[in-house]
Amino acid sequence: MFKKLLITLSVITYIFCGSIEGTVSYAGSNKTAKSLKMDSDPICGTAHSVPPKKEDFILNEKNQFKNVIVWLKNVDYKDELKSDPATIDQLGCIYSPHVNVFTTAQKVFIKNSDKTLHNVNSQSKINQSFNSAQPAGVPDIEKTFTSKEDPFYIKCDVHPWMKAWVMVSDHPYFAITDENGYFKIDNIPEGTYEVGFWQEKLSNLPKKKYVISSNSSEVVVSKDATTKLDFEFQKPVKKAKK
Ligand SMILES: [Cu+2]
C-alpha cells in the first residue's frame, strides 16, 4: 500500500513539471576574439597548432552567446541533488570547461594534463578559497563546493591568461548555453520563476563606470509544456561623467 502511494506521488510530481528553452544573444556589435598570448611558457605555446582565442565573449555569426549561465533564482529545493563527479582539466594551459556550474553535492576533480606547473587559485568568497600548486603528474585536486555561490573565478598564478568560472547551485535548474546560444532546463515544477542570465564580461562590468542592468527575466512554467524564453544582453551603457 505504502509503495503504491509512493509510486503515485512520484508520477504526480512528474506530471506537474515542464521545461524552458531558448537562445541567448547580444544586442551589440560582434567583435572577433583575440588570440591568447602564451609565449611566456614554451610548453603552453607549443601545445597548440593554432593559437587559441580568448573565451570571455564568444558569439557566433548570429550574435548568439556561448557560455552564458542560465538558472532559476530563489528555488527552495528539497530533493536529492545530482552528485556525479565533474572535472576541470588544464590542457594546453587552458581550463576546460571555461564556464562551470556545480551542485553543492558534486565532487570536482581539478586535473593537470600538461607537462608544466599550474597553480590553482580559487577566488571564491562563500566557499573556502584555496591556492594549490599542481606540478605535472601529481594527482587531481579534489573539491566539493558545499554552499551556493554566485559565479567566481579560478585563476593560475603561473599563466596569467588562465581563468575558469564556477557557479555553485543548491538546486538542479540551471544550464550553460552552447555555441549557438541555446539552453534547455527540464523537470521544473510548474510555477512562476525569475530566471537569471550571467555572461562573463557583461555581468562583471565595473559599477562605477557602467549602468548595470538586471539581466533576468520572469517565466511561467506549465505542466508538460516547454516555455520559450529568449534573452538578449544589451550593449553596456557608460555612466555620464559628472
Ligand atoms: Cu597554469
Side-chain angles (χ1 to χ4, degrees):
M1 171 66 191
F2 182 63
K3 207 171 179 184
K4 204 171 176 186
L5 184 71
L6 265 184
I7 291 166
T8 317
L9 277 176
S10 58
V11 169
I12 289 171
T13 319
Y14 176 69
I15 290 170
F16 287 95
C17 286
S19 305
I20 57 171
E21 71 170 352
T23 301
V24 180
S25 56
Y26 178 53
S29 56
N30 190 337
K31 288 189 193 108
T32 321
K34 289 193 177 122
S35 297
L36 291 170
K37 290 200 171 61
M38 297 186 168
D39 307 343
S40 62
D41 186 337
I43 292 173
C44 302
T46 52
H48 304 272
S49 50
V50 179
K53 302 265 187 234
K54 284 185 88 175
E55 293 180 283
D56 57 0
F57 206 84
I58 305 175
L59 290 166
N60 67 8
E61 67 288 351
K62 292 180 183 164
N63 260 21
Q64 292 160 336
F65 253 134
K66 188 186 175 184
N67 278 344
V68 171
I69 301 175
V70 185
W71 76 104
L72 302 191
K73 292 183 166 185
N74 310 321
V75 172
D76 187 16
Y77 186 76
K78 298 270 190 280
D79 289 342
E80 206 172 314
L81 270 172
K82 174 180 157 179
S83 62
D84 50 323
T87 302
I88 298 180
D89 197 4
Q90 297 160 103
L91 182 60
C93 304
I94 289 175
Y95 287 110
S96 175
H98 180 66
V99 173
N100 305 269
V101 186
F102 305 125
T103 72
T104 48
Q106 247 177 318
K107 259 186 199 162
V108 180
F109 293 96
I110 303 171
K111 200 180 180 71
N112 182 3
S113 296
D114 288 327
K115 290 194 166 51
T116 191
L117 167 78
H118 292 298
N119 188 89
V120 188
N121 187 344
S122 113
Q123 304 296 300
S124 46
K125 302 268 187 308
I126 294 170
N127 289 281
Q128 195 173 22
S129 61
F130 56 92
N131 188 358
S132 316
Q134 196 178 23
V138 303
D140 300 348
I141 298 169
E142 186 189 322
K143 291 284 166 194
T144 303
F145 302 99
T146 51
S147 302
K148 113 180 199 190
E149 185 163 358
D150 289 341
F152 61 88
Y153 63 91
I154 290 174
K155 63 173 181 165
C156 174
D157 294 326
V158 184
H159 308 111
W161 62 86
M162 287 181 69
K163 213 179 213 188
W165 288 88
V166 171
M167 176 173 161
V168 187
S169 177
D170 59 0
H171 64 69
Y173 309 121
F174 57 80
I176 300 170
T177 57
D178 68 11
E179 63 279 10
N180 295 317
Y182 174 79
F183 72 92
K184 188 173 189 202
I185 306 174
D186 289 318
N187 298 319
I188 307 168
E190 63 176 341
T192 303
Y193 296 93
E194 193 187 349
V195 183
F197 296 87
W198 175 93
Q199 198 283 329
E200 177 170 351
K201 281 212 124 167
L202 298 175
S203 301
N204 285 305
L205 293 169
K207 287 188 183 101
K208 272 188 182 169
K209 272 194 182 168
Y210 289 92
V211 179
I212 303 298
S213 47
S214 81
N215 294 334
S216 67
S217 193
E218 203 178 81
V219 71
V220 177
V221 176
S222 314
K223 61 173 179 177
D224 295 334
T226 299
T227 308
K228 269 285 207 186
L229 181 69
D230 293 334
F231 185 80
E232 189 177 58
F233 277 93
Q234 298 307 302
K235 201 179 165 188
V237 178
K238 279 195 178 164
K239 278 184 179 168
K241 280 186 187 151
K242 280 171 197 163

